[in-house]
Amino acid sequence: MKEFIQEVPVLSNNQFTVDRLLQDYLTTQIPGEVYHAIKPDLERFGQRVMGDILRMGEDADAYPPVHIPFDAFGHRIDEIRVSKGWEEMARVSAEEGLVAIGYERKYGPYSRLYQMAKNYLFAPSSAYYSCPLAMTDGAAKLIENFGSEELKISAFTHLISRNPDHFWASGQWMTERTGGSDVGTSETRARKDGDAWRLYGVKWFTSAVTSPMAMTLARIENDKGEVVQGSKGLSLFLIKLRDDSGKYNNLEIIRLKDKLGTRALPTAELRLEGSRALLVGEIGRGVKTIATLFNVTRIHNALSAVASSRRLLNWALDYASKREAFGKTLKDHPLHMQTLSELEIEFQGAFHLFFYTVRLLGLNEAGIAEERKQAAPLLRIYTPLAKLYTAKQNLKITSEVIESFGGVGYLENSGLSKWLRDGQTLAIWEGTTNVLSLDVLRSMQKENTFPPFLKDISLRLLGLKNPELQLCGKKIMGEIDSLQKFASQTMSEGDDFMQAQARHFSYSLARVAMAALMLEFADRPDHDTEKYRISAKRMASKKLVSLLWADPLWREENNKIVFS
Ligand code: MFK
């Protein structure tokens, strides 16, 4: 009797040419001559991420970094040994312009779409080298906006270099023992030493610690050693890890973190013992200034989430067309197909949410004055929305894809379990779901982002031409009404009330935006839209808005539910 052995599912050897949505999206959002110019590079890169880059990523995952604190003679050396694959990825990132493209701005406002499309192909093959790239991109943007002329030469040029020997990745050391969310309680001190600043303190989570530089926060002491408490006392510093002779800049690696996932990425605890640092931006404006950086990394976070979902779905689709059970392939089982199509629709929504945020970033940086003005408040609210929603959604998709492989999906050597471990970080680093939901409120309260958000969506819905899609648009307009009413009512109930429902509210905004963007995309006459029309209609027919119309007793009730 012939034994049953399953066929191994495979991924296409070109992640660009196989990605119809990505190609259609870029075709419709980028002028023809620009797309014509960048397409060959994307096509080539789509293949490369399944070739040598994938092997680098596999090597990096197989050989996680190791910390060697002392040499044989007892000298403190704090060597971090990383895999060959990880080292090579730094060089490839520079050569491929994965940060540079965003700053060369060769294609004006479309440069960010090009850059992020490339990173979207890269991230799932990179064993999270996407993390240092995200931080490098954020640091570049920060220095471009706030750095002195001297810093633009001594650091910025490295961050955006295409020359692997000149390229620097940057770290972002925000987290201390007092908290990753409550950054305002950070304890690190900055003391003046002649013209320089010296930092003293412990940084608790420092990702990509082998990067040559990092951006970090510290509290400046006055002559009497006193400091201003809270986030208003924090200033931003650039720190180089090593001096010109290659020695550490008065810092010690306490240990590498033993993390659930992203194990290829060297994340350390550090002690700063008088590390020389350069002040960036105004004294006491550290949190506000570093927000420029983390608003970029949050967009990269959404990128990693959406790109991972795509890669995993590609796997699940191939498996569904090969694996037989109950006498037919999985794709011929109605319930399996229903599950996969729901995941695909969710994925498409997240794809649009992410890439729309990227378009806004591009317009905000390189658009004409009017475009910049319009994009600014939208970018401010779409950034936390895209980050918080896609991270959670990726976890759901990852879990479903693993389940769709049955028992094999639960095996370590199927290669699937790592995605669940790695994906969990996307909902934590760069701000948890709750912190980001509160940031959505912050953007509404401080920067009045809600009216432009609603107006932008309404205009997109009102512009629909296809009668079926118009009907869907009408339904969403009704939901926008309820969002508006809810916001004005709850804002007047006070902060506590608004905060308690911030997550439901943010999810509702994200889902309404996803549906509107999908409808608009499906309505375009310039590409074959049947697949997108069906998906958009299905998305629009879902319950998009889910709000807590709580009464004033809600807080007491929550206490009873949780603690009594
Ligand atoms: C694959 C992708 C990977 C990405 C790489 C990840 C590697 C991991 C690296 C890490 O470092 S992970 C840790 C990241 N940490 C965070 O994301 C911090 C999470 N916590 C928050 O975001 C808190 O909300 C926050 C620290 C901002 C709260 O600080 P405060 O000081 O209590 O809040 P406050 O007073 O509201 O804000 C201070 C100022 O910043 C205000 O401006 P003003 O002083 O002018 O009033 C705010 O408006 C401004 N601000 C806060 N968030 C902002 C912002 N401005 C613009 N955009 C924002 N998002």
Side-chain angles (χ1 to χ4, degrees), residues 124-140:
S125 294
S126 78
Y128 274 82
Y129 197 81
S130 48
C131 166
L133 290 183
M135 298 189 291
T136 306
D137 196 346

Side-chain angles (χ1 to χ4, degrees), residues 172 181 231 285 295 298 304 380 430 439 442 446:
Q172 164 200 0
S181 299
S231 63
R285 297 291 288 157
N295 282 336
R298 285 172 183 178
S304 273
R380 178 66 185 90
E430 296 311 318
D439 191 50
R442 183 192 280 113
K446 297 188 82 164

Side-chain angles (χ1 to χ4, degrees), residues 331-377:
K331 73 178 171 44
D332 295 322
H333 287 277
L335 184 52
H336 197 78
M337 284 305 283
Q338 179 60 29
T339 308
L340 289 182
S341 69
E342 283 177 23
L343 297 180
E344 270 291 329
I345 291 168
E346 280 293 316
F347 161 77
Q348 286 179 36
F351 176 98
H352 283 284
L353 190 61
F354 162 65
F355 271 108
Y356 185 53
T357 311
V358 173
R359 272 163 62 195
L360 293 168
L361 177 65
L363 287 171
N364 189 240
E365 289 177 338
I368 54 169
E370 188 55 27
E371 287 172 335
R372 286 179 185 206
K373 206 170 126 209
Q374 279 171 11

